[in-house]
Amino acid sequence: MEYNFDWDYFDNPTSKSGYQGYYYDYTGEGEQLPWKAVARYIKNNLCSGSVLDIGCAKGYLVFEAEQIGLKAFGYDISTYAIQHAISRNCIVKDICHGIHKKFDVIVALGTLIYIEENKIDKVLKNIFDYAGNYFVFSAYFQGGKQNVKDKQRKITKTKLWWIRKIMKAGFRLYEEKEWGIVFYTVKENRTDV
């Protein structure tokens, strides 16, 4: 299926499907975006090395990670978003075609829901293979609130469904934050969490 993550999706204030303005501090619908908090958490708790943001959009998380000394990179399927990225380390790349370099931390915040369900196991396994230490994940879960009217979303499943898929790929739960972001590790379960 073809995706249309273009101006209409990201920035058109009258769009019927999309963000109605995707800005650094908020979306057109007023949702606050935690770029600085996530970047700081990664640096202070997970790694001081390399980070890949899958579905980086305009590169806000990549930019924040760079500002605090992380080697950050971003992939996004949207040519429009990458053309408007605030970091030069963001490229147009479809995650369904795989990751081909190891990163200490791989991040996918609200992006894996756009992958067709029959491809998600392969994508998660590829993320596992290339995540040196951690995988940072969030999604809109079935039954949860989603402000963005989003016709391009492919997967609407429960949180338990996602946990099972992610753990089937080999990850283990590390920590869940109150901001709705879950941290997984490629290592064994921590006993001190």
Side-chain angles (χ1 to χ4, degrees), residues 1-12 15 17-20 22 54-58 75-84 92-96 109-116 140 146 148-155:
M1 176 161 192
E2 188 172 323
Y3 298 96
N4 293 307
F5 297 113
D6 54 10
W7 175 82
D8 195 54
Y9 181 81
F10 281 103
D11 291 326
N12 181 352
S15 176
S17 177
Y19 287 98
Q20 299 172 345
Y22 190 81
I54 296 170
C56 66
K58 296 181 181 180
Y75 294 169
D76 201 286
I77 198 169
S78 171
T79 300
Y80 173 83
I82 296 302
Q83 288 172 342
H84 293 85
V92 175
K93 183 166 176 61
D94 184 343
I95 192 61
C96 292
L109 301 180
T111 58
L112 298 185
I113 59 176
Y114 298 102
I115 295 171
E116 293 181 30
Y140 293 107
Q146 181 180 14
V148 178
K149 298 169 188 77
D150 199 340
K151 295 177 183 174
Q152 301 199 72
R153 183 177 180 178
K154 305 289 180 254
I155 300 176

Side-chain angles (χ1 to χ4, degrees), residues 37-50:
V38 173
R40 285 187 188 135
Y41 183 89
I42 290 170
K43 174 128 188 195
N44 293 337
N45 299 285
L46 304 182
C47 85
S48 58
S50 61

Side-chain angles (χ1 to χ4, degrees), residues 2 37 56 62 65 86-87 96 102 116 173 176-177 181:
E2 188 172 323
C56 66
V62 174
I86 63 173
S87 169
C96 292
K102 202 103 159 145
E116 293 181 30
L173 181 63
E176 184 169 357
K177 300 302 283 180
I181 297 174

Side-chain angles (χ1 to χ4, degrees), residues 53-64:
D53 182 11
I54 296 170
C56 66
K58 296 181 181 180
Y60 301 140
L61 177 58
V62 174
F63 174 80
E64 284 300 333

Side-chain angles (χ1 to χ4, degrees), residues 65-136:
E66 290 171 325
Q67 296 305 300
I68 58 174
L70 295 170
K71 292 177 224 147
F73 302 88
Y75 294 169
D76 201 286
I77 198 169
S78 171
T79 300
Y80 173 83
I82 296 302
Q83 288 172 342
H84 293 85
I86 63 173
S87 169
R88 293 181 187 216
N89 286 339
C90 298
I91 63 170
V92 175
K93 183 166 176 61
D94 184 343
I95 192 61
C96 292
H97 298 153
I99 301 167
H100 304 290
K101 179 183 175 200
K102 202 103 159 145
F103 293 90
D104 294 320
V105 177
I106 295 178
V107 179
L109 301 180
T111 58
L112 298 185
I113 59 176
Y114 298 102
I115 295 171
E116 293 181 30
E117 191 175 331
N118 65 347
K119 295 179 181 178
I120 199 67
D121 289 334
K122 181 179 176 187
V123 168
L124 286 168
K125 182 64 176 132
N126 183 250
I127 291 170
F128 180 81
D129 290 344
Y130 286 92
N133 295 306
Y134 298 97
F135 173 46
V136 180

